[in-house]
Each structure stands twice: as structure tokens, then as C-alpha cells.
Amino acid sequence: MTEVVLDAVNKVYPDGFHAVRDLTLRIPDGELFVLLGPSGCGKSTILRMVAGLEEITSGSLWLSGQLANHLPPRERNLAMVFQNGALYPHRNVHGNISFPLEVAGENDSDSHERIVELSRALGIEETLHRLPSTLSGGQRQRVAMGRALIRQPGIFLMDEPLSNLDAGLRTELRMEIGALVRSLGVTTLYVTHDQTEALTLADRVAILRRGVLEDVGTPQQVYDDPATMFTAAFLSAPPINLVRATVRADQNDGVTLGIGDQQLNLPWSDSRATALVSQHGSFVTVGIRADAMRPDPDGLISGRVRALEFHGHEWLAHVEAGVVLVDAETFRDDEPQQTRQAGRPGVLRRLLRTTGLTAEEAPVNPVSHGGTHRRSDLVFRMENRSGIAAGDTVRLSVDTERMLLFSEDGRRVDKIDR
């Protein structure tokens, strides 16, 4: 069984830069696991530590049950594909794929049959006698994959292998990659900054930011039920609406979210209302995806349509609604939280009694808002224009079941355990 375990792994460079912080992950045998995040978040560094190309500062790396911190790369039973393929220019496709077998001293006739079979699976059988300079970008990446897989490694590492290809070819090749590695059953770590690649390829995906693990789960879990505001924002196209809201809890009416000069109400029958009690008198961020709002004459949010964007299969409308939007990038996990005075404690205690909580469970000093402000536009999605034009005033209803609620440290208030 080929399993990868990283236990409290840290990477600190000589200049003091902390690239990876206390990372703990378990990738079971045969899983296609994707490391996702923006440039500089530490995902390629993690891959290089697994490969043995970077030393681990602290923590433990286990490969197939063996402590591998100081194991040489050649003894780790893994293969790696880089962004540029890195083929030998003087060798044809057959020669590039066969090179690892030649180094291992395997029989030429047996090797040839394996090469032909693998090249057929990769769709490059007709190119075996061609040089890399005569191949397309997609073909070169297939050759690089073939050279890595021909050794039948226990672990397959891929570092942004599709980033140099055009959009159409990326779509085609990522489908082939997913099908191939699953058919081979090889444990795969795949690094990308592209959310579409991650969501379509992964069995599970880990989202990283500034060397810190933000969230991990299946693609549907991290999209529908993100642990942090950053995860929700990163896994969203068009961008999720992150709206600053005040929280007011009422013993009779439930919890009211004040969004600009407009309000959304959550009754006590909604479990999220109970979760919001501890935020009474402070701010939260409400996450609303573009497809969770729609034009509705009876909608609770109103605003003026500033612009319409046509995307072929849909329209996106930008609405000036007098709200304050929050930037997920401004929340720093490594910065001390600032505090401010909470609301009246007597009112809060009475509200807590009605929900079965105790006063000790509520924070005395809720943290202050940490976001920055952008243009106060909400974005919502439409299948067609529905008679809406720029300059029109619209009312919007919100699918409150799909709202995500974040505290001022960027963490979910209403997180569902999984």
C-alpha cells in the first residue's frame, strides 16, 4: 500500500521565510489528491518535500509506513512531472519514455512492449519516433507523463503540468490525466492554482494560503461547505459576494442580519440563528454566491444595475446595493486579533437562555472587522437578461439556505462538521 502522511510538517528557509506551517495530511493509497492555492502558498514546496528535493525543517513525512524525512529521492519510489515537461531534446519520444528503464537496466524487448502500451493509453503511439521539438505542448506533456509512469511508481507527483497549455487543450488533457491515474491506481499528488482543475480532477482537495492549510475535503464538500472565507472566495467563479453584516438577536424574532440599510432574518428554527447568538452586537461576513440570488419583486435587497456582462451561457449583473463588501485576502491567520467592547451583557444572557447556551460560551469581546472595502456591488447570475437593463432598479431575493456565515477571523460561524 502506498500512502503519504505529512505530520506537523514545517518548512523554514535560511532567510526566515516560513513557507509551510504545521501541515498535517493523509493521502491514502490510490487517491488523486490535489493541492490548490494561489502562487506562493507553499503547494509546490510540499510536493518537493515529498519528492526529497527540499529538506523538511520539522515534522515527519511517512511514505508507505516508512519515515522518509532523510530518504534519498531515488529510494522513495515516486515519479514527478514538472510544468515544462523537461524532455531530452536529442531523444525521440520512445527514447524519452524508455530512459528510466535503461537506467534501471531492464530488458529492451520487455520495455518496448510496455512503452507501446503506455503510449497508446496516452494517445501518443504515432509519435514514438519523433523528436520533442516536433511535438505540440500537449504531446510533450503526455511524453513527460509516460516517462514518469513507465517506472510504475508508487507515488505520482504532478506540479502544474497543464499551466503552459491553452484552455481547450487543458480541458482535454485533464480528463485524460484523471482517467489514466485512476485506471493505474497510483497515489497521485497534483499541484495547481486552477480551481476548475482541482474540482474536476480531485478525489479530495486541500486549499492552502500562505503556507497554512485552510480546508480539505472532497470537491463538493469544500465548495458547498467551506471552512473559511478564503476557501469560499477562492472556489468561486464569478466571485462570491462577501458582505459585511451586523448581527442582532431578538428573543422572539430570531437573528437579524443588517446588510447596509437592508435586513435578512433567520428564525430560531434555523440552526444558524443559534450559531449567530455569540456574534450578537458584532459583525459577520455573509457569503452569497451569484446563483443564490435572483430578481424578485418581493425581494428584500434592492439596488441599481450598474453593468451587465454577457458570458454566452449566462449574464452577470452588477448591482449597487449600498452594502460593504469584504476582501477575503485581508484576513491574516498569523496576526493578533483585535477586540472591541461587546453589546449589553444583560440582553445577551437573556438570549442565550432561550437557545440553551450559557453566557460562558459567548465571547465577551467579539473581534473587530478586518476586511477592506471595494465598490459596493452585488453580483448575481441570470440565464437571460429578463428585461433588465443597466440603470434599472431591481429587487433581489436571497436563497438563505445557501448563505455562508463567517466570523471576523474569517472562519465559519455555521460550520457543518464532516
Side-chain angles (χ1 to χ4, degrees), residues 35-223:
L35 298 171
L36 174 67
S39 297
C41 70
K43 54 189 184 296
S44 291
T45 301
I46 295 167
L47 210 67
R48 291 173 63 83
M49 286 192 291
V50 173
L53 303 177
E54 293 273 7
E55 291 186 2
I56 295 174
T57 304
S58 65
S60 303
L61 169 67
W62 299 81
L63 302 178
S64 302
Q66 179 182 9
L67 183 63
N69 286 44
H70 304 293
L71 203 63
R74 64 180 178 275
E75 296 180 18
R76 298 191 181 201
N77 189 26
L78 51 79
M80 190 168 182
V81 173
F82 298 92
Q83 182 175 331
N84 60 7
L87 302 178
Y88 300 111
H90 62 286
R91 283 177 166 260
N92 61 20
V93 170
H94 188 285
N96 267 279
I97 296 176
S98 68
F99 182 76
L101 301 180
E102 294 173 17
V103 172
E106 294 199 16
N107 182 278
D108 287 345
S109 59
D110 292 341
S111 298
H112 178 72
E113 291 181 7
R114 287 172 56 190
I115 291 168
V116 171
E117 182 180 353
L118 181 57
S119 65
R120 186 179 298 119
L122 290 166
I124 53 173
E125 184 181 9
E126 302 300 321
T127 69
L128 286 176
H129 300 291
R130 293 169 56 183
L131 292 173
S133 60
T134 69
L135 303 177
S136 68
Q139 288 171 328
R140 285 194 292 271
Q141 281 300 80
R142 288 183 175 94
V143 176
M145 289 175 58
R147 185 178 60 188
L149 291 170
I150 196 67
R151 293 173 44 206
Q152 298 178 328
I155 305 167
F156 191 26
L157 308 179
M158 307 187 77
D159 192 1
E160 305 214 42
L162 308 182
S163 60
N164 287 341
L165 306 179
D166 61 65
L169 194 52
R170 282 202 303 270
T171 300
E172 176 185 346
L173 198 51
R174 75 166 176 255
M175 293 174 62
E176 294 178 3
I177 289 173
L180 181 64
V181 297
R182 287 188 174 90
S183 68
L184 296 173
V186 58
T187 306
T188 302
L189 273 72
Y190 187 106
V191 162
T192 182
H193 64 272
D194 187 319
Q195 59 155 307
T196 301
E197 278 184 32
L199 295 178
T200 55
L201 270 176
D203 294 325
R204 284 191 305 146
V205 57
I207 295 90
L208 296 141
R209 181 181 63 143
R210 297 174 183 150
V212 176
L213 180 65
E214 289 277 321
D215 205 352
V216 62
T218 67
Q220 185 168 3
Q221 284 174 336
V222 295
Y223 183 86

Side-chain angles (χ1 to χ4, degrees), residues 45 49-50 66-67 72 111 116 158 189 226 269 290 296 299 311 314 318 320 327 337 347 355 359 390 401:
T45 301
M49 286 192 291
V50 173
Q66 179 182 9
L67 183 63
S111 298
V116 171
M158 307 187 77
L189 273 72
S269 58
D296 183 349
H311 288 251
E314 66 183 8
H318 297 253
E320 293 179 332
D327 185 353
Q337 296 177 344
V347 174
T355 57
E401 293 295 323

Side-chain angles (χ1 to χ4, degrees), residues 285-305:
T285 298
V286 181
I288 310 171
R289 298 199 187 275
D291 56 358
M293 291 189 293
R294 62 180 180 84
D296 183 349
D298 299 320
L300 297 176
I301 294 178
S302 65
R304 185 182 67 87
V305 178

